Amino acid sequence: MKKSKKLLAALLSGVMTLSLAACGGGSASQETTNTAAPSTAQTEETGTAAAADLAFEPYEDELVVQLGRLASPHTISSLYEGDTLEDNPYTRYVKEKLNISFEDVIEANDEDYKKQISLAVASGDLPDIFTVTDYNTLVELVDNDLIYDLTDVYEKYVCDYVRGVYDSFDGRCMEMVTFDGRLMALPGSNPDNGVPILCWMRKDWLDQLNLNPDEDGDLCITIEDIENIAKAFVDADISGKGTVGIALADNVGDAQGLYGAMGGFADIWLQNEDGSIEWGTFADDSVKNTWELLNRWFKEGLLDPQFGTRTADDVNSLLINNQCGIAFGPWHTPDWRFTHVKDANPEAQYIAYTMKDADGKVNAYHENAVGSFVAVRKDYEHPEAAVKILNVVFGDLATATAETAPEVAQFVKDGGDNFCRPYQIEVIPYENTEKYFTEHTAVLNGEMTPEQCTTAENRNTSEAMMKYLEDPDNVTSETSAGWKAYNSRIIGCGASIGKLKENGNANWISPLYPPTMPVMAQKKTTIDTLELQAYIKIVTGEEPISYFDEMKEKWYANGGSDIIAELEEYYQK
């Protein structure tokens, strides 16, 4: 297997301009063969119109696709009563358009899903089509010749809209799934969807205590501002339940927003101008200083007394139980985290801030252009189905209306989760997040109507948002989707897109996203454990801050230096 030279070193180098052509529409050709699949054995067709027909041509006989898919509790909870992940508005729409139905042979959440896919890889008994959640698994599938070469299928069946989305990343999405010049999977796109990390605060608590950490109104605050608010929440026991000032999950990266506010980054690979590579945790003293600060907060009772033992779900429980009013996350955190807080605490309101360092800079890093993938098993008889499903779910529905896709439109308005779709990826253009903010803001300002939004999603969410704003103090099951949309696309994006752009103080860097190579596979887990253990010990006071330097030496000695040498050789090729 040979990847493109330096394919990952050049990832995420800036905003690309998008020029999209609409998909060929839903009027597929009705002239199908007498087999289940209009595949490559069909009569050759040429021209743009014919290609558009192929992209959406339905199967004459129903095609049942065996899927491997993610199934989180949040996703399942958003389904209508009686629906399943195999049978819901999204899958019914695919059935209507393509005559494809689904049987989930692997349906699990997060780590359990990865384990089940690993077992399927080991046995060779793979689903027809399945979501791949990490790059290492994709490489393993390619190396073992277990998945279908989609190069010709993609070129023949992809619609213009989906092709345009991938093109907006200037090749960075397709490079990730190209091996020896062949397309081995369909990539999900990631337009910096999780960055910058924001500090979210309970606005109702701020108002109750007459507090405002953002006097100049630029939605950008400092570490000191965060500390002051956390102290005020704790001192007043604003929750009445023994308020926790700040809670973090049991991993080094959960404090990434705080590292940025201290001037640095943890747990990412950085390449210097001379080509040398270093681990972000040790690039400067920012992470060390953050751990020292967290230790002080821990001793002063501002940081969760159970720090180091809580999972992300445990931190969510603190928020839902109304015990913690400060959280860290991207602009879309209300969609999947705070919606449960709002359900349990109707009075809850949030406001979001970017976090600046001592020089006034908001430090953020570009994410990998691709996070997850869709693959097809090697011997599947109908590989074109994978591309057709992609066209319908991410092309046709992107421009659909309440008239053309009424059930899906209503499901979105009702808060249906995107991952109820057959594929647990996103295929959205690079500038999508900015479009969320600008179009929804324009609708609220009366500068455009929901119908004038450029995507079906924005039309649906802007309508839901306006319905919520008719009575924002009384959120019901009918307006909860509008509450989520407003808090993510106006409150969240208002800080991460609107004000950040207006302030002009973003400092973006582009990390490396290497595959797992032999030395890394052998030694990375050991040094990750060293780092995590030191983090918990230093913050909780079990070890002094000087232990950071001891851990750093052990990190290099136990594999860090070898991994860096391996990476530098890889990126110099």
Side-chain angles (χ1 to χ4, degrees):
M1 177 196 73
K2 182 188 293 183
K3 288 292 291 177
S4 302
K5 299 291 187 181
K6 297 188 179 180
L7 90 137
L8 297 172
L11 289 177
L12 307 161
S13 58
V15 178
M16 306 299 163
T17 302
L18 175 66
S19 177
L20 295 180
C23 287
S27 55
S29 168
Q30 298 302 308
E31 296 182 9
T32 59
T33 67
N34 59 5
T35 64
S39 61
T40 53
Q42 287 183 307
T43 302
E44 290 292 329
E45 293 183 285
T46 59
T48 303
D53 284 345
L54 286 175
F56 297 97
E57 188 173 22
Y59 293 87
E60 183 174 299
D61 298 327
E62 179 182 6
L63 178 66
V64 180
V65 174
Q66 292 190 330
L67 277 185
R69 56 158 304 133
L70 286 160
S72 74
H74 170 72
T75 299
I76 294 170
S77 71
S78 74
L79 290 166
Y80 289 143
E81 185 176 355
D83 276 5
T84 66
L85 293 177
E86 296 174 326
D87 182 18
N88 62 69
Y90 284 115
T91 61
R92 288 192 285 272
Y93 190 79
V94 174
K95 177 67 165 62
E96 174 189 338
K97 292 293 182 178
L98 297 175
N99 200 20
I100 292 175
S101 59
F102 301 96
E103 177 189 354
D104 294 350
V105 294
I106 297 180
E107 189 178 284
N109 188 32
D110 293 342
E111 291 304 316
D112 187 33
Y113 180 78
K114 290 181 181 180
K115 289 176 183 177
Q116 292 195 41
I117 289 294
S118 294
L119 290 172
V121 170
S123 67
D125 186 18
L126 291 164
D128 298 335
I129 302 173
F130 55 102
T131 297
V132 179
T133 58
D134 65 281
Y135 184 68
N136 293 331
T137 299
L138 178 64
V139 171
E140 183 181 3
L141 288 162
V142 173
D143 283 347
N144 288 283
D145 196 26
L146 291 173
I147 54 178
Y148 203 98
D149 178 349
L150 297 172
T151 308
D152 297 334
V153 169
Y154 175 83
E155 287 301 325
K156 185 171 183 178
Y157 289 95
V158 71
C159 74
D160 289 344
Y161 185 94
V162 169
R163 189 190 297 274
V165 170
Y166 288 142
D167 287 349
S168 76
F169 287 81
D170 197 33
R172 290 174 293 145
C173 285
M174 305 312 278
E175 282 179 346
M176 287 287 290
V177 294
T178 300
F179 297 78
D180 287 332
R182 308 301 292 178
L183 189 74
M184 300 306 298
L186 302 172
S189 63
N190 178 25
D192 282 337
N193 209 37
V195 289
I197 297 169
L198 303 174
C199 177
W200 293 84
M201 294 183 179
R202 282 283 293 270
K203 188 176 184 303
D204 54 314
W205 287 8
L206 292 173
D207 293 343
Q208 188 175 334
L209 296 177
N210 196 28
L211 299 172
N212 182 7
D214 180 36
E215 293 291 345
D216 59 5
D218 65 353
L219 297 181
C220 188
I221 60 177
T222 66
I223 281 282
E224 291 76 17
D225 295 324
I226 297 169
E227 178 177 328
N228 291 336
I229 296 300
K231 187 175 188 308
F233 285 173
V234 170
D235 288 348
D237 190 13
I238 185 70
S239 70
K241 299 180 178 181
T243 305
V244 174
I246 295 170
L248 298 168
D250 56 351
N251 64 81
V252 176
D254 204 43
Q256 196 71 264
L258 296 174
Y259 302 140
M262 295 291 281
F265 307 91
D267 283 15
I268 55 176
W269 293 108
L270 303 174
Q271 188 170 41
N272 299 313
E273 291 184 4
D274 63 1
S276 62
I277 292 174
E278 57 189 345
W279 189 235
T281 302
F282 309 124
D284 54 31
D285 288 335
S286 300
V287 173
K288 179 180 180 180
N289 293 339
T290 305
W291 292 8
E292 186 173 24
L293 173 70
L294 290 172
N295 170 248
R296 178 169 65 79
W297 286 358
F298 184 82
K299 289 188 293 188
E300 293 176 359
L302 303 185
L303 186 64
D304 179 14
Q306 295 186 40
F307 173 85
T309 66
R310 293 196 196 271
T311 64
D313 285 342
D314 294 332
V315 174
N316 286 342
S317 294
L318 283 176
L319 298 170
I320 293 169
N321 292 338
N322 216 34
Q323 291 177 261
C324 186
I326 297 176
F328 302 95
W331 63 268
H332 51 81
T333 304
D335 291 344
W336 49 270
R337 195 176 207 181
F338 298 151
T339 181
H340 302 296
V341 179
K342 186 69 173 178
D343 289 343
N345 308 280
E347 75 282 2
Q349 299 178 32
Y350 279 95
I351 189 166
Y353 306 101
T354 53
M355 295 168 279
K356 59 187 175 184
D357 64 17
D359 297 323
K361 293 293 184 182
V362 174
N363 296 297
Y365 61 92
H366 290 297
E367 294 180 311
N368 200 337
V370 181
S372 297
F373 316 87
V374 170
V376 179
R377 65 176 170 86
K378 171 89 176 194
D379 56 349
Y380 186 44
E381 298 87 347
H382 305 298
E384 78 289 334
V387 181
K388 289 187 170 190
I389 295 165
L390 191 80
N391 292 337
V392 169
V393 173
F394 297 105
D396 182 53
L397 281 177
T399 54
T401 67
E403 288 71 35
T404 61
E407 189 183 25
V408 173
Q410 189 60 50
F411 186 57
V412 171
K413 289 181 181 180
D414 292 340
D417 188 55
N418 286 346
F419 277 12
C420 292
R421 298 180 298 214
Y423 297 163
Q424 290 69 65
I425 62 173
E426 295 290 352
V427 180
I428 48 182
Y430 187 83
E431 76 283 6
N432 194 67
T433 307
E434 184 166 354
K435 187 176 290 186
Y436 279 151
F437 177 66
T438 56
E439 291 196 355
H440 286 92
T441 299
V443 169
L444 294 188
N445 290 340
E447 297 164 1
M448 63 189 297
T449 66
E451 292 74 19
Q452 292 173 315
C453 290
T454 57
T455 67
E457 180 184 10
N458 282 2
R459 286 193 290 273
N460 291 332
T461 50
S462 62
E463 288 175 358
M465 190 184 301
M466 294 177 72
K467 186 173 182 180
Y468 150 71
L469 289 172
E470 291 175 3
D471 189 8
D473 295 329
N474 296 290
V475 177
T476 67
S477 59
E478 293 184 351
T479 60
S480 62
W483 181 89
K484 287 192 296 184
Y486 181 83
N487 278 270
S488 58
R489 289 150 177 79
I490 298 298
I491 302 299
C493 290
S496 67
I497 298 291
K499 280 296 185 180
L500 185 61
K501 195 171 184 179
E502 181 181 322
N503 297 338
N505 63 337
N507 174 41
W508 288 94
I509 67 162
S510 296
L512 301 177
Y513 293 99
T516 298
M517 291 176 287
V519 177
M520 186 184 293
Q522 182 183 5
K523 299 183 177 183
K524 185 65 161 55
T525 299
T526 298
I527 58 177
D528 283 346
T529 301
L530 281 173
E531 184 180 353
L532 176 60
Q533 290 175 343
Y535 172 54
I536 294 172
K537 288 178 179 180
I538 289 172
V539 172
T540 58
E542 183 178 341
E543 294 285 357
I545 189 61
S546 58
Y547 185 69
F548 184 95
D549 298 318
E550 183 180 335
M551 177 272 294
K552 180 178 177 180
E553 291 180 6
K554 291 179 179 178
W555 189 91
Y556 282 108
N558 284 273
S561 294
D562 295 334
I563 294 172
I564 287 174
E566 181 179 50
L567 290 176
E568 289 178 347
E569 180 181 359
Y570 174 79
Y571 283 108
Q572 286 168 7
K573 289 181 180 180

